[in-house]
Amino acid sequence: MGDCIFCKIIFGEIPSVKIFENDKIIAFNDINPKAKVHILIVPKKHIESVKHLQAIDKELVGELILSAQQIAKEKNLEGYKLLFNVGREGGQLVDHLHLHLLSPEW
């Protein structure tokens, strides 16, 4: 966790453009966007990836998805993509669970 860029964002050590925050989740713009809207929705609890989820985390995963729904509504997105990358082979670049919210257009 010490070198985790998302943990550093959560603790305010690295600046970000926050889109949403509550006691369990933070959402911010991706610094390397792949769409016009590309937001990362991140649990404040450090979990390395989907592979590392446990049964106790199921409510948190639901909150990630519901947060994405709320953000999409606030951004007036009629359609959008939600994406979890898992492991390096799956495209995951940061070892902290995060959900990508992407608009369909650039």
Side-chain angles (χ1 to χ4, degrees), residues 7-18:
C7 287
K8 289 179 179 183
I9 290 170
I10 291 164
F11 292 116
E13 297 170 17
I14 295 176
S16 67
V17 177
K18 291 181 190 171

Side-chain angles (χ1 to χ4, degrees), residues 65-81:
I65 294 169
L66 290 174
S67 295
Q69 178 190 52
Q70 178 182 336
I71 294 165
K73 184 176 180 179
E74 290 171 2
K75 296 280 184 187
N76 295 314
L77 298 177
E78 290 296 320
Y80 51 93
K81 296 178 187 179

